[in-house]
Amino acid sequence: MEEAQYLDWNNSIQILNKAYEAGLFVLIIGPKGTGKTSLVRDFAKNKNINLDSINFSLRTRESHLVGTKTLTDGTVSFDEGLLIKSMKSGDILYLDEINSAEADVLLRLDEALDDRRQIVLKESTDEVIKAKENWFVVSTINPLSHSGTKELPPQLLSRFPVRIRLEYPPENIELEIIKKYASGNHESEMIQAIKLANTLRQAAAVEELFYSPSLRETIAFAKLLDKGMAAKEVAEIIFGNVYTQWGDIEYQKVNDIITSMFGN
Ligand SMILES: Nc1ncnc2c1ncn2[C@@H]1O[C@H](COP(=O)(O)OP(=O)(O)O)[C@@H](O)[C@H]1O
Ligand SMILES: [Mg+2]
């Protein structure tokens, strides 16, 4: 999304740096929109190392990681996947939402991530690909409450001995982050929106609501305020209307909260 300076509010960059120096792979755990991707991008940018990213889903196949045979003009060649490319180049490999992948994909990944850091290209020549010395892997998982996520097998978890928790930031920090994307002219309304977001997040955490707004929403709120819209209307558009997806009762619950915080 936007290119703003990452605010390292819980010392995550330093942990990533130490892990990198020690050659220990890192797992970042946290809900959507808490800055996981931005953190890793910022880390790679500071290190001036290329970042190869794979976003996992149920549709991700082994061939996406390892590669596929292709036939051009009667000649068979092998198109290397991102996993192989990054191992060979010693880039940083970013495995996003790794716990939404199927078990067979994870198993193949595990082969590359174990202490030997190598993988057999059974898809083509049976060549053994060995990772460059400084190859580094960072992955993210969403907490299990997120739809479509599965538990990561313990064996694979153990490949990432450094674990960083990234939660929603404290109120004052969230305000500081939002100001990187917006003018900051409407501070009291922005604080109200963060309070609203936190109320909804807490309700979602105890399953009173089905959806938890992220920093993307509080940032979007500030941007629309900058366009001259009224705070209450923006709150409805960004925070309220989405709950219609789960029916009128869910929507009305949130709308009442918005009215109580932003007036009629
Ligand atoms: N600490 C931070 N500093 C700057 N921007 C942030 C920070 N945390 C989150 N953001 C912004 O919030 C939005 C969501 O962050 P993102 O990295 O995509 O989250 P995730 O990968 O956890 O879903 C992005 O626009 C991102 O730039
Ligand atoms: Mg992300």
Side-chain angles (χ1 to χ4, degrees), residues 1-2 6-7 33-38 177 181 215-216 219:
M1 208 158 75
E2 304 95 322
Y6 182 78
L7 185 84
T34 48
K36 299 185 291 301
T37 302
S38 322
I177 292 172
Y181 301 87
L215 267 79
R216 290 199 188 92
I219 290 169

